[in-house]
Amino acid sequence: MHRRVFTQGLAASLTLPWALRAAQAAGPVTVGMVVPLTGGTAAEVGKQVALGVETYFAEVHRGDVRLVLEDDEFKPEKTVAGARKLLAAKPAALISFATSNTQALIEAKIPQESGVPLFPTRSGSQVIREPVNPFVFHVRAGYSTEIVKIVAQMAGAIGITKFAALYQDDAYGKTGLAALQVALEQRKLKLAASAPYDRTTSDIQPALATLRGVDAQVIVMVAGHKAASAFVQAYGSAGGHAQLVGISDLDPAKLVQEVGAERARGVGLTQVFPSLSSQSIPVVREFHQLMVAAKKPESVSSLATFEGFLVAKAIGQGLKAAGGGGAAADGRALADVLNRTPRWDLGGFDLSFQNGRREGSLFTEIAIIDGSGRARY
Protein backbone atom coordinates (compact mmCIF):
# COMPACT_ATOMS: atom_id res chain seq x y z
CA MET A 1 0.00 0.00 0.00
CA HIS A 2 1.30 3.44 -0.84
CA ARG A 3 0.47 6.71 0.85
CA ARG A 4 0.49 9.77 -1.36
CA VAL A 5 0.12 13.41 -0.47
CA PHE A 6 -1.34 15.23 -3.43
CA THR A 7 1.39 17.84 -3.35
CA GLN A 8 4.03 15.14 -3.82
CA GLY A 9 2.72 11.71 -4.76
CA LEU A 10 -0.19 11.18 -7.12
CA ALA A 11 -0.04 14.76 -8.32
CA ALA A 12 3.54 14.25 -9.41
CA SER A 13 2.79 10.90 -10.98
CA LEU A 14 0.02 12.50 -13.04
CA THR A 15 2.32 15.42 -13.91
CA LEU A 16 -0.11 17.99 -12.55
CA PRO A 17 1.37 21.46 -13.17
CA TRP A 18 0.11 22.92 -9.91
CA ALA A 19 1.75 20.33 -7.65
CA LEU A 20 4.72 22.51 -6.64
CA ARG A 21 2.52 25.54 -6.02
CA ALA A 22 0.22 23.51 -3.75
CA ALA A 23 3.19 22.04 -1.89
CA GLN A 24 4.42 25.55 -1.07
CA ALA A 25 1.07 26.46 0.48
CA ALA A 26 0.00 23.44 2.52
CA GLY A 27 -3.37 24.10 4.09
CA PRO A 28 -4.50 23.68 7.68
CA VAL A 29 -7.24 21.15 6.86
CA THR A 30 -6.52 17.60 5.71
CA VAL A 31 -8.87 15.56 3.53
CA GLY A 32 -8.00 11.88 3.17
CA MET A 33 -8.85 9.67 0.20
CA VAL A 34 -8.52 5.89 -0.11
CA VAL A 35 -8.61 4.93 -3.78
CA PRO A 36 -7.09 2.35 -6.15
CA LEU A 37 -4.14 3.91 -7.96
CA THR A 38 -2.43 0.62 -8.88
CA GLY A 39 -3.29 -3.04 -9.02
CA GLY A 40 -5.87 -3.75 -11.67
CA THR A 41 -8.65 -2.41 -13.83
CA ALA A 42 -10.10 -0.11 -11.17
CA ALA A 43 -6.91 1.96 -10.96
CA GLU A 44 -7.67 3.89 -14.15
CA VAL A 45 -11.01 5.06 -12.79
CA GLY A 46 -9.53 5.66 -9.35
CA LYS A 47 -6.97 8.02 -10.83
CA GLN A 48 -9.70 9.89 -12.69
CA VAL A 49 -11.73 10.41 -9.52
CA ALA A 50 -8.61 11.49 -7.62
CA LEU A 51 -7.77 13.96 -10.37
CA GLY A 52 -11.17 15.63 -10.00
CA VAL A 53 -10.75 15.90 -6.23
CA GLU A 54 -7.22 17.24 -6.54
CA THR A 55 -8.06 19.77 -9.21
CA TYR A 56 -10.88 21.32 -7.21
CA PHE A 57 -8.88 21.66 -4.00
CA ALA A 58 -5.74 22.85 -5.77
CA GLU A 59 -7.47 25.48 -7.90
CA VAL A 60 -10.22 26.67 -5.54
CA HIS A 61 -8.91 26.04 -2.01
CA ARG A 62 -5.28 26.94 -2.51
CA GLY A 63 -3.53 26.80 0.85
CA ASP A 64 -6.69 25.78 2.73
CA VAL A 65 -6.97 22.05 2.02
CA ARG A 66 -4.31 19.36 1.91
CA LEU A 67 -5.33 16.13 0.19
CA VAL A 68 -3.60 12.90 1.26
CA LEU A 69 -4.19 9.71 -0.72
CA GLU A 70 -3.77 6.06 0.17
CA ASP A 71 -3.57 3.47 -2.60
CA ASP A 72 -5.72 0.47 -1.62
CA GLU A 73 -5.19 -1.47 -4.88
CA PHE A 74 -8.98 -2.04 -4.90
CA LYS A 75 -8.63 -4.47 -1.98
CA PRO A 76 -11.12 -3.89 0.88
CA GLU A 77 -8.68 -4.95 3.59
CA LYS A 78 -6.21 -2.36 2.33
CA THR A 79 -8.98 0.22 2.21
CA VAL A 80 -9.52 -0.21 5.94
CA ALA A 81 -5.78 -0.15 6.70
CA GLY A 82 -5.33 2.95 4.55
CA ALA A 83 -8.18 4.78 6.26
CA ARG A 84 -6.76 4.01 9.69
CA LYS A 85 -3.43 5.49 8.61
CA LEU A 86 -5.17 8.59 7.31
CA LEU A 87 -6.97 9.10 10.62
CA ALA A 88 -3.60 9.77 12.24
CA ALA A 89 -3.48 13.01 10.22
CA LYS A 90 -6.81 14.09 11.79
CA PRO A 91 -8.66 14.64 8.50
CA ALA A 92 -11.86 16.68 8.32
CA ALA A 93 -13.27 14.23 5.76
CA LEU A 94 -12.55 10.89 4.12
CA ILE A 95 -13.33 9.97 0.50
CA SER A 96 -13.76 6.33 -0.52
CA PHE A 97 -14.16 4.45 -3.80
CA ALA A 98 -16.56 1.72 -4.94
CA THR A 99 -19.07 -0.44 -3.10
CA SER A 100 -17.15 -3.27 -1.47
CA ASN A 101 -14.32 -0.99 -0.36
CA THR A 102 -16.70 1.55 1.20
CA GLN A 103 -18.69 -1.27 2.77
CA ALA A 104 -15.50 -2.49 4.45
CA LEU A 105 -14.98 0.95 6.01
CA ILE A 106 -18.54 1.06 7.33
CA GLU A 107 -18.33 -2.49 8.72
CA ALA A 108 -15.05 -1.55 10.43
CA LYS A 109 -16.91 1.43 11.94
CA ILE A 110 -14.32 3.87 10.65
CA PRO A 111 -16.65 6.88 10.12
CA GLN A 112 -18.88 6.36 13.15
CA GLU A 113 -16.07 5.76 15.65
CA SER A 114 -13.81 8.53 14.34
CA GLY A 115 -16.59 11.07 13.77
CA VAL A 116 -15.00 11.87 10.39
CA PRO A 117 -17.59 12.15 7.59
CA LEU A 118 -17.13 9.66 4.76
CA PHE A 119 -17.96 10.58 1.16
CA PRO A 120 -18.22 7.53 -1.13
CA THR A 121 -17.56 7.83 -4.86
CA ARG A 122 -18.40 5.51 -7.77
CA SER A 123 -21.14 3.71 -5.88
CA GLY A 124 -24.89 4.04 -5.54
CA SER A 125 -25.33 0.68 -3.82
CA GLN A 126 -27.95 0.31 -1.09
CA VAL A 127 -25.45 -1.83 0.86
CA ILE A 128 -23.61 1.34 1.87
CA ARG A 129 -26.81 3.42 2.21
CA GLU A 130 -28.98 1.19 4.38
CA PRO A 131 -29.21 1.36 7.28
CA VAL A 132 -28.53 5.09 7.21
CA ASN A 133 -25.16 5.96 8.73
CA PRO A 134 -25.08 9.53 10.15
CA PHE A 135 -21.43 9.94 9.13
CA VAL A 136 -21.73 8.74 5.51
CA PHE A 137 -22.73 11.38 2.93
CA HIS A 138 -23.71 10.40 -0.63
CA VAL A 139 -23.40 13.01 -3.36
CA ARG A 140 -24.90 10.85 -6.13
CA ALA A 141 -28.32 9.22 -6.42
CA GLY A 142 -28.44 5.52 -5.54
CA TYR A 143 -28.56 2.58 -7.92
CA SER A 144 -32.09 1.79 -6.77
CA THR A 145 -33.18 5.23 -7.94
CA GLU A 146 -31.45 4.60 -11.28
CA ILE A 147 -32.98 1.17 -11.74
CA VAL A 148 -36.48 2.38 -10.87
CA LYS A 149 -35.98 5.02 -13.57
CA ILE A 150 -34.97 2.34 -16.12
CA VAL A 151 -37.98 0.16 -15.37
CA ALA A 152 -40.35 3.13 -15.36
CA GLN A 153 -39.03 4.26 -18.74
CA MET A 154 -38.83 0.86 -20.40
CA ALA A 155 -41.85 -0.90 -18.90
CA GLY A 156 -44.05 2.02 -17.97
CA ALA A 157 -43.52 4.42 -20.87
CA ILE A 158 -42.64 1.99 -23.68
CA GLY A 159 -44.43 -1.19 -22.57
CA ILE A 160 -41.44 -3.56 -22.55
CA THR A 161 -42.06 -6.74 -20.52
CA LYS A 162 -39.01 -8.99 -21.10
CA PHE A 163 -35.98 -7.98 -19.01
CA ALA A 164 -32.66 -9.75 -18.41
CA ALA A 165 -29.60 -8.66 -16.42
CA LEU A 166 -25.81 -8.77 -16.48
CA TYR A 167 -24.43 -8.17 -12.98
CA GLN A 168 -21.13 -8.04 -11.16
CA ASP A 169 -20.77 -10.96 -8.75
CA ASP A 170 -20.32 -8.98 -5.52
CA ALA A 171 -22.29 -6.71 -3.17
CA TYR A 172 -22.53 -4.01 -5.83
CA GLY A 173 -23.98 -6.26 -8.50
CA LYS A 174 -26.18 -8.35 -6.25
CA THR A 175 -27.88 -5.37 -4.60
CA GLY A 176 -28.46 -3.83 -8.02
CA LEU A 177 -29.93 -7.09 -9.25
CA ALA A 178 -32.21 -7.24 -6.20
CA ALA A 179 -33.36 -3.66 -6.84
CA LEU A 180 -34.18 -4.56 -10.45
CA GLN A 181 -36.20 -7.57 -9.33
CA VAL A 182 -38.18 -5.45 -6.85
CA ALA A 183 -38.86 -2.76 -9.46
CA LEU A 184 -40.11 -5.39 -11.89
CA GLU A 185 -42.23 -7.15 -9.29
CA GLN A 186 -44.00 -3.87 -8.58
CA ARG A 187 -45.19 -4.05 -12.20
CA LYS A 188 -45.93 -7.79 -11.95
CA LEU A 189 -42.93 -8.67 -14.13
CA LYS A 190 -40.04 -11.09 -13.65
CA LEU A 191 -36.52 -11.34 -15.02
CA ALA A 192 -36.21 -13.64 -18.02
CA ALA A 193 -32.59 -14.39 -17.04
CA SER A 194 -29.60 -13.02 -15.14
CA ALA A 195 -25.89 -13.75 -15.47
CA PRO A 196 -22.94 -12.76 -13.24
CA TYR A 197 -19.31 -11.99 -14.04
CA ASP A 198 -16.18 -11.92 -11.84
CA ARG A 199 -15.31 -8.40 -10.61
CA THR A 200 -11.58 -9.22 -10.52
CA THR A 201 -11.32 -10.16 -14.19
CA SER A 202 -14.34 -8.48 -15.85
CA ASP A 203 -14.61 -11.61 -18.02
CA ILE A 204 -18.11 -11.47 -19.51
CA GLN A 205 -17.86 -14.48 -21.84
CA PRO A 206 -19.75 -16.94 -19.58
CA ALA A 207 -22.48 -14.33 -19.05
CA LEU A 208 -22.62 -13.67 -22.79
CA ALA A 209 -23.19 -17.37 -23.44
CA THR A 210 -26.21 -17.24 -21.13
CA LEU A 211 -27.73 -13.95 -22.24
CA ARG A 212 -27.33 -14.06 -26.00
CA GLY A 213 -29.76 -16.97 -26.20
CA VAL A 214 -32.42 -15.34 -24.04
CA ASP A 215 -35.55 -13.82 -25.58
CA ALA A 216 -35.14 -10.47 -23.81
CA GLN A 217 -36.15 -7.03 -25.02
CA VAL A 218 -33.88 -5.21 -22.56
CA ILE A 219 -30.68 -6.30 -20.82
CA VAL A 220 -29.86 -4.16 -17.79
CA MET A 221 -26.12 -4.06 -17.06
CA VAL A 222 -25.36 -3.67 -13.36
CA ALA A 223 -21.70 -3.66 -14.25
CA GLY A 224 -18.49 -1.73 -14.00
CA HIS A 225 -17.33 0.20 -17.04
CA LYS A 226 -14.83 -2.35 -18.36
CA ALA A 227 -17.24 -5.29 -18.16
CA ALA A 228 -20.19 -3.33 -19.54
CA SER A 229 -18.12 -2.06 -22.48
CA ALA A 230 -16.87 -5.58 -23.22
CA PHE A 231 -20.44 -6.87 -23.11
CA VAL A 232 -21.69 -4.17 -25.50
CA GLN A 233 -18.96 -5.14 -27.97
CA ALA A 234 -19.38 -8.90 -27.62
CA TYR A 235 -23.18 -8.93 -27.56
CA GLY A 236 -23.39 -6.81 -30.70
CA SER A 237 -20.79 -8.95 -32.47
CA ALA A 238 -22.80 -12.06 -31.55
CA GLY A 239 -25.86 -10.59 -33.24
CA GLY A 240 -27.77 -9.69 -30.08
CA HIS A 241 -30.81 -7.48 -30.59
CA ALA A 242 -31.95 -6.56 -27.07
CA GLN A 243 -31.78 -2.96 -25.91
CA LEU A 244 -28.73 -2.62 -23.66
CA VAL A 245 -29.01 -0.24 -20.72
CA GLY A 246 -26.20 0.39 -18.26
CA ILE A 247 -26.25 2.21 -14.96
CA SER A 248 -24.09 5.22 -14.21
CA ASP A 249 -20.80 3.31 -13.85
CA LEU A 250 -20.76 3.03 -17.64
CA ASP A 251 -19.06 6.17 -18.99
CA PRO A 252 -20.59 7.11 -22.38
CA ALA A 253 -17.54 8.94 -23.73
CA LYS A 254 -15.21 6.05 -22.88
CA LEU A 255 -17.67 3.51 -24.23
CA VAL A 256 -17.64 5.23 -27.62
CA GLN A 257 -13.84 5.39 -27.56
CA GLU A 258 -13.57 1.68 -26.80
CA VAL A 259 -16.24 0.11 -29.02
CA GLY A 260 -16.81 2.81 -31.64
CA ALA A 261 -19.80 5.06 -32.29
CA GLU A 262 -21.60 2.53 -34.46
CA ARG A 263 -21.45 -0.29 -31.89
CA ALA A 264 -22.36 2.08 -29.03
CA ARG A 265 -25.27 3.58 -30.94
CA GLY A 266 -28.57 3.05 -29.14
CA VAL A 267 -27.04 1.97 -25.83
CA GLY A 268 -28.88 3.54 -22.91
CA LEU A 269 -27.24 4.73 -19.69
CA THR A 270 -28.61 6.20 -16.51
CA GLN A 271 -26.79 9.37 -15.54
CA VAL A 272 -26.69 10.81 -12.01
CA PHE A 273 -24.88 14.02 -12.89
CA PRO A 274 -25.59 16.79 -15.41
CA SER A 275 -24.38 16.31 -18.96
CA LEU A 276 -20.76 17.40 -19.42
CA SER A 277 -21.74 18.91 -22.76
CA SER A 278 -24.16 21.34 -21.06
CA GLN A 279 -21.88 24.26 -20.28
CA SER A 280 -24.93 26.39 -19.62
CA ILE A 281 -24.99 24.62 -16.22
CA PRO A 282 -22.65 26.63 -13.94
CA VAL A 283 -20.94 23.67 -12.25
CA VAL A 284 -20.23 21.99 -15.61
CA ARG A 285 -18.78 25.24 -16.93
CA GLU A 286 -16.63 25.59 -13.78
CA PHE A 287 -15.40 22.02 -14.17
CA HIS A 288 -14.35 22.66 -17.77
CA GLN A 289 -12.57 25.88 -16.83
CA LEU A 290 -10.64 24.36 -13.93
CA MET A 291 -9.58 21.26 -15.86
CA VAL A 292 -8.25 23.51 -18.63
CA ALA A 293 -6.46 25.65 -16.02
CA ALA A 294 -4.89 22.46 -14.62
CA LYS A 295 -3.74 21.61 -18.15
CA LYS A 296 -5.93 18.49 -18.24
CA PRO A 297 -8.40 19.44 -20.98
CA GLU A 298 -8.81 15.80 -22.05
CA SER A 299 -10.49 15.11 -18.70
CA VAL A 300 -13.46 17.39 -19.35
CA SER A 301 -15.33 14.41 -20.80
CA SER A 302 -14.66 12.10 -17.81
CA LEU A 303 -17.69 11.55 -15.59
CA ALA A 304 -15.43 9.91 -12.99
CA THR A 305 -13.30 13.05 -12.80
CA PHE A 306 -16.45 15.18 -12.64
CA GLU A 307 -17.74 13.06 -9.74
CA GLY A 308 -14.50 13.58 -7.82
CA PHE A 309 -14.77 17.30 -8.54
CA LEU A 310 -18.37 17.45 -7.22
CA VAL A 311 -17.51 15.52 -4.04
CA ALA A 312 -14.57 17.87 -3.41
CA LYS A 313 -16.80 20.89 -3.99
CA ALA A 314 -19.40 19.60 -1.52
CA ILE A 315 -16.65 19.09 1.08
CA GLY A 316 -15.08 22.47 0.28
CA GLN A 317 -18.34 24.38 0.67
CA GLY A 318 -19.04 22.55 3.91
CA LEU A 319 -15.59 23.33 5.29
CA LYS A 320 -15.99 27.01 4.50
CA ALA A 321 -19.38 27.12 6.19
CA ALA A 322 -18.16 25.18 9.23
CA GLY A 323 -15.00 27.28 9.53
CA GLY A 324 -16.78 30.62 9.43
CA GLY A 325 -15.58 31.53 5.96
CA GLY A 326 -12.21 29.78 6.06
CA ALA A 327 -11.58 26.07 5.90
CA ALA A 328 -10.52 25.53 9.53
CA ALA A 329 -13.05 22.88 10.58
CA ASP A 330 -12.86 19.36 11.91
CA GLY A 331 -14.95 16.37 10.87
CA ARG A 332 -17.70 16.79 13.43
CA ALA A 333 -18.13 20.47 12.58
CA LEU A 334 -18.33 19.58 8.89
CA ALA A 335 -20.95 16.86 9.53
CA ASP A 336 -22.96 19.26 11.70
CA VAL A 337 -23.09 22.05 9.10
CA LEU A 338 -24.01 19.58 6.35
CA ASN A 339 -26.87 18.35 8.55
CA ARG A 340 -28.16 21.83 9.33
CA THR A 341 -28.06 23.42 5.88
CA PRO A 342 -31.31 22.94 3.90
CA ARG A 343 -29.72 23.14 0.47
CA TRP A 344 -26.26 23.15 -1.05
CA ASP A 345 -26.16 24.64 -4.54
CA LEU A 346 -23.02 23.42 -6.31
CA GLY A 347 -23.95 25.41 -9.39
CA GLY A 348 -27.06 23.90 -10.93
CA PHE A 349 -26.61 20.63 -9.04
CA ASP A 350 -28.26 20.67 -5.62
CA LEU A 351 -27.63 18.58 -2.50
CA SER A 352 -29.51 18.28 0.78
CA PHE A 353 -28.51 16.30 3.86
CA GLN A 354 -30.93 17.96 6.26
CA ASN A 355 -33.00 15.99 8.79
CA GLY A 356 -30.92 12.85 8.52
CA ARG A 357 -31.13 12.56 4.75
CA ARG A 358 -27.95 11.03 3.36
CA GLU A 359 -28.72 10.60 -0.35
CA GLY A 360 -27.85 14.17 -1.18
CA SER A 361 -29.12 14.10 -4.77
CA LEU A 362 -31.92 12.24 -6.55
CA PHE A 363 -30.90 13.52 -10.00
CA THR A 364 -31.33 10.67 -12.50
CA GLU A 365 -31.77 10.77 -16.27
CA ILE A 366 -31.50 8.20 -19.05
CA ALA A 367 -29.18 9.09 -21.90
CA ILE A 368 -29.08 7.32 -25.28
CA ILE A 369 -25.94 7.29 -27.42
CA ASP A 370 -26.71 8.66 -30.87
CA GLY A 371 -25.11 7.91 -34.23
CA SER A 372 -22.39 10.50 -33.70
CA GLY A 373 -21.38 8.93 -30.40
CA ARG A 374 -22.92 11.61 -28.22
CA ALA A 375 -25.00 10.80 -25.12
CA ARG A 376 -28.36 12.52 -25.48
CA TYR A 377 -30.34 13.10 -22.29
Side-chain angles (χ1 to χ4, degrees):
M1 185 187 307
H2 307 286
R3 164 175 287 198
R4 297 187 179 181
V5 179
F6 96 99
T7 54
Q8 298 175 1
L10 178 62
S13 71
L14 295 178
T15 323
L16 298 179
W18 31 259
L20 179 60
R21 181 174 73 239
Q24 293 170 339
V29 174
T30 296
V31 172
M33 183 173 185
V34 190
V35 62
L37 304 174
T38 60
T41 59
E44 180 184 350
V45 181
K47 288 179 181 179
Q48 291 174 35
V49 176
L51 177 62
V53 175
E54 290 180 331
T55 300
Y56 180 80
F57 286 142
E59 297 295 329
V60 177
H61 291 268
R62 301 177 186 182
D64 289 333
V65 178
R66 172 176 174 263
L67 178 66
V68 182
L69 298 106
E70 284 284 339
D71 178 9
D72 65 9
E73 301 175 21
F74 204 40
K75 298 176 181 178
E77 67 277 11
K78 292 193 174 184
T79 307
V80 173
R84 293 194 190 283
K85 289 177 66 176
L86 288 171
L87 289 177
K90 301 186 183 305
L94 290 172
I95 302 171
S96 62
F97 179 91
T99 299
S100 294
N101 306 74
T102 299
Q103 183 182 14
L105 294 179
I106 295 171
E107 290 178 348
K109 299 183 178 180
I110 298 290
Q112 50 267 54
E113 291 186 353
S114 68
V116 176
L118 176 66
F119 294 79
T121 61
R122 306 305 293 172
S123 178
S125 176
Q126 295 307 113
V127 166
I128 61 173
R129 294 166 185 253
E130 296 175 356
V132 172
N133 187 310
F135 287 97
V136 180
F137 294 82
H138 303 276
V139 170
R140 60 154 63 200
Y143 294 142
S144 291
T145 302
E146 296 182 51
I147 288 169
V148 166
K149 181 79 171 183
I150 292 172
V151 173
Q153 181 74 20
M154 297 295 169
I158 301 176
I160 286 172
T161 60
K162 297 178 181 179
F163 288 76
L166 168 74
Y167 69 96
Q168 187 164 290
D169 194 12
D170 64 358
Y172 154 62
K174 290 175 181 177
T175 55
L177 178 66
L180 176 59
Q181 290 170 325
V182 169
L184 290 172
E185 286 170 3
Q186 289 173 347
R187 296 178 180 272
K188 302 187 184 306
L189 299 173
K190 291 184 178 181
L191 275 176
S194 62
Y197 70 89
D198 187 336
R199 78 190 288 262
T200 62
T201 64
S202 295
D203 179 10
I204 52 82
Q205 290 302 318
L208 175 66
T210 298
L211 295 174
R212 68 183 176 186
V214 173
D215 181 23
Q217 295 165 290
V218 172
I219 297 177
V220 179
M221 301 180 290
V222 188
H225 176 83
K226 181 176 180 180
S229 295
F231 188 80
V232 168
Q233 179 68 63
Y235 184 76
S237 297
H241 298 294
Q243 168 73 58
L244 302 181
V245 183
I247 60 175
S248 56
D249 286 342
L250 180 57
D251 187 308
K254 288 189 64 183
L255 174 64
V256 172
Q257 290 175 3
E258 291 166 9
V259 308
E262 184 58 34
R263 180 67 73 206
R265 182 179 183 180
V267 173
L269 319 90
T270 51
Q271 299 291 274
V272 294
F273 301 119
S275 171
L276 292 181
S277 63
S278 299
Q279 291 200 52
S280 60
I281 301 172
V283 72
V284 174
R285 186 166 60 249
E286 179 188 15
F287 173 67
H288 279 248
Q289 291 169 346
L290 293 189
M291 295 312 297
V292 170
K295 293 184 170 51
K296 289 289 178 178
E298 71 281 1
S299 295
V300 298
S301 63
S302 170
L303 285 166
T305 302
F306 187 50
E307 180 172 358
F309 173 87
L310 287 173
V311 168
K313 185 165 187 177
I315 294 171
Q317 286 195 1
L319 287 172
K320 280 192 172 183
D330 63 14
R332 293 186 185 275
L334 173 59
D336 181 63
V337 77
L338 291 174
N339 286 329
R340 289 187 288 103
T341 304
R343 173 175 170 266
W344 297 92
D345 181 6
L346 302 190
F349 182 77
D350 293 348
L351 301 174
S352 177
F353 300 108
Q354 195 177 35
N355 299 324
R357 173 177 164 176
R358 286 297 174 268
E359 189 161 290
S361 169
L362 296 177
F363 178 94
T364 308
E365 296 288 348
I366 295 181
I368 301 293
I369 298 179
D370 66 16
S372 64
R374 185 173 179 178
R376 300 283 186 179
Y377 282 48

